Amino acid sequence: MKTRIIQVDEKNIDKEVIREAGGIIRSGGLVAFPTETVYGLGGDALNPASSRKIYEAKGRPSDNPLIVHIARWEALAAIVKRVPEEAVKLARDYWPGPLTMILEKSDLVPKETTGGLDTVAVRMPSHKTALDFIEAAGGYVAAPSANRSGRPSPTVARYVIQDLNGRIEMILDGGDVELGLESTIVDLTAQMPTILRPGYVTRQMLEQTLGGVEEDVTILRADSGQAPKAPGMKYRHYAPKGELTIITGPERKVVDYINIQLDQWRAGNKKTGVIATDATMGAYRADVCKNAGSRLDESAMARQLYRILREFDDEGVEIIYSESFEGSGVGQAVMNRLLKAAGHRVTELK
Ligand code: TXA
Ligand code: MG
């Protein structure tokens, strides 16, 4: 299949292009499109054949449910059994935006889209191109991140092309995304609203809107012994090809320890890489050193992470060390993704 790649400008949207892209979805095809979080791989959420195509193009297990993207609040009622009070409040505060809600699905949504579940994930993105595209597509676009399964989510069209060229009808190239990490997912079908995937909308923000909020225990730990409630979180995700290890502890010790490891790997002719920060960029003896930015700017780190992981792949880095990035806000989500990328390989220095 020949994939058409078309540049789109959020500030000057080409209606004709959007109409065409929408038409592809309506007739059962697939279009990758920019959102504020990461690029999505869109298909008609109400068409079972489209969802099957998405799984095939991504190489993704079909028990991993898709997020249904809507462009207007009024669109929600038709795809869920009921709209709970919590959803109204969350939408008021965070839609359109990087928040996905899990609700009980109506019969309109095929099980192919929800990976066989009776619940459906719904999000209204804030990216203008995405909103216009969803409307043109009929109002319900199922879209996982537009990467091949197991690879980091794409934050620029170049990576969508790398993964999906020749497998889908069209890619809308909207340049760099704004946020760089996937949406926060909150399950509203549990006793207590539960965060299944951390993101820009933090636990503190959700608590402000809702009062009590819980967190799926599998989010930051490998040893909980439980299956994650978001099926997608169980797969080894966001993984670079090189072997990634996170080193935690006092900064000086971390730098010294990583340098000793690097010397050994390089003596064995392995290509090495490090994810550093502004403060430590000059300190490492790695072949490739990537700067995640200032520790004080958690959103800049969020924006860099997936690009950095992809660049290590492109540059053939085999052994990667990363500093640890805890934080109070989106830093928690950064750490969640980094831990998954590392397959929870962490060395703690005291
Ligand atoms: O920011 C985002 O959310 C991006 C953009 C494109 O909107 N999309 C995205 O989709 O990250 P995806 O498919 O890569 O991740 C969706 C996650 C998966 O972990 C999946 O298991 C979970 O959402 N999920 C979807 N429906 C669910 C449901 N009904 N119950 C529990 N988890 C669900
Ligand atoms: Mg994904």
Side-chain angles (χ1 to χ4, degrees):
M1 179 187 309
K2 172 123 181 68
T3 302
R4 289 177 60 204
I5 300 162
I6 302 184
Q7 306 226 336
V8 289
D9 178 0
E10 201 182 0
K11 293 193 193 72
N12 182 16
I13 292 176
D14 183 336
K15 290 210 173 72
E16 185 52 33
V17 167
I18 295 298
R19 207 184 53 78
E20 254 181 79
I24 293 173
I25 300 293
R26 285 172 191 266
S27 54
L30 304 183
V31 176
F33 63 101
T35 82
E36 73 279 19
T37 58
V38 298
Y39 276 77
L41 169 56
D44 182 353
L46 307 184
N47 178 350
S50 296
S51 293
R52 281 195 292 268
K53 274 193 199 167
I54 290 177
Y55 291 117
E56 206 179 294
K58 263 186 82 92
R60 175 182 195 158
S62 60
D63 67 342
N64 190 357
L66 307 173
I67 296 176
V68 178
H69 294 69
I70 58 174
R72 285 177 298 119
W73 167 250
E74 299 74 45
L76 180 64
I79 54 169
V80 298
K81 276 233 168 78
R82 57 185 197 92
V83 179
E85 191 54 33
E86 288 100 335
V88 177
K89 289 185 184 160
L90 287 176
R92 182 196 61 204
D93 289 355
Y94 303 115
W95 272 6
L99 178 71
T100 296
M101 304 184 213
I102 310 285
L103 297 160
E104 279 173 57
K105 79 171 195 70
S106 75
D107 293 338
L108 199 60
V109 185
K111 288 251 172 129
E112 281 79 357
T113 299
T114 65
L117 298 174
D118 292 322
T119 55
V120 60
V122 191
R123 172 163 115 81
M124 191 194 300
S126 63
H127 197 288
K128 287 211 176 55
T129 306
L131 291 169
D132 286 3
F133 163 65
I134 294 162
E135 278 296 334
Y140 300 99
V141 173
S145 48
N147 50 285
R148 291 275 293 168
S149 193
R151 307 219 57 208
S153 297
T155 51
V156 290
R158 178 169 77 253
Y159 296 140
V160 181
I161 296 167
Q162 220 176 52
D163 280 16
L164 297 175
N165 198 18
R167 309 179 74 90
I168 61 179
E169 276 79 4
M170 186 183 274
I171 296 171
L172 297 175
D173 176 357
D176 287 355
V177 299
E178 185 191 337
L179 303 180
L181 281 190
E182 307 88 343
S183 61
T184 304
I185 302 179
V186 60
D187 183 358
L188 297 181
T189 68
Q191 279 286 7
M192 181 80 107
T194 306
I195 300 170
L196 306 188
R197 181 173 74 182
Y200 256 85
V201 178
T202 60
R203 179 177 190 158
Q204 290 82 341
M205 289 160 76
L206 293 171
E207 275 171 348
Q208 260 176 25
T209 303
L210 297 178
V213 171
E214 282 178 359
E215 216 161 60
D216 185 359
V217 292
T218 64
I219 283 179
L220 286 175
R221 299 177 40 193
D223 57 353
S224 66
Q226 290 185 36
K229 296 198 179 77
M233 300 296 276
K234 77 179 175 230
Y235 298 106
R236 181 158 182 260
H237 239 185
Y238 320 113
K241 290 176 189 149
E243 184 180 297
L244 168 62
T245 308
I246 302 166
I247 313 296
T248 71
E251 187 172 285
R252 253 307 359 123
K253 281 197 170 171
V254 168
V255 171
D256 289 345
Y257 176 87
I258 291 179
N259 273 329
I260 291 168
Q261 309 301 311
L262 291 172
D263 290 343
Q264 288 176 4
W265 288 114
R266 291 175 65 211
N269 273 324
K270 292 281 188 194
K271 188 161 183 185
T272 60
V274 169
I275 305 179
T277 52
D278 281 351
T280 56
M281 253 316 264
Y284 291 108
R285 299 192 288 271
D287 297 310
V288 181
C289 206
K290 302 283 181 192
N291 190 354
S294 158
R295 283 193 176 276
L296 301 177
D297 188 351
E298 292 177 24
S299 28
M301 288 182 169
R303 211 161 37 236
Q304 310 290 358
L305 180 66
Y306 288 151
R307 179 185 55 77
I308 289 175
L309 294 177
R310 290 255 182 183
E311 284 176 1
F312 281 136
D313 286 356
D314 294 343
E315 293 166 43
V317 175
E318 298 166 276
I319 301 293
I320 307 163
Y321 289 95
S322 178
E323 297 177 14
S324 173
F325 302 103
E326 240 97 1
S328 51
V330 69
Q332 292 170 7
V334 173
M335 199 55 200
N336 164 264
R337 306 305 196 276
L338 192 62
L339 278 164
K340 290 175 73 59
H344 287 270
R345 215 177 359 253
V346 181
T347 300
E348 263 184 76
L349 307 176
K350 290 275 152 46

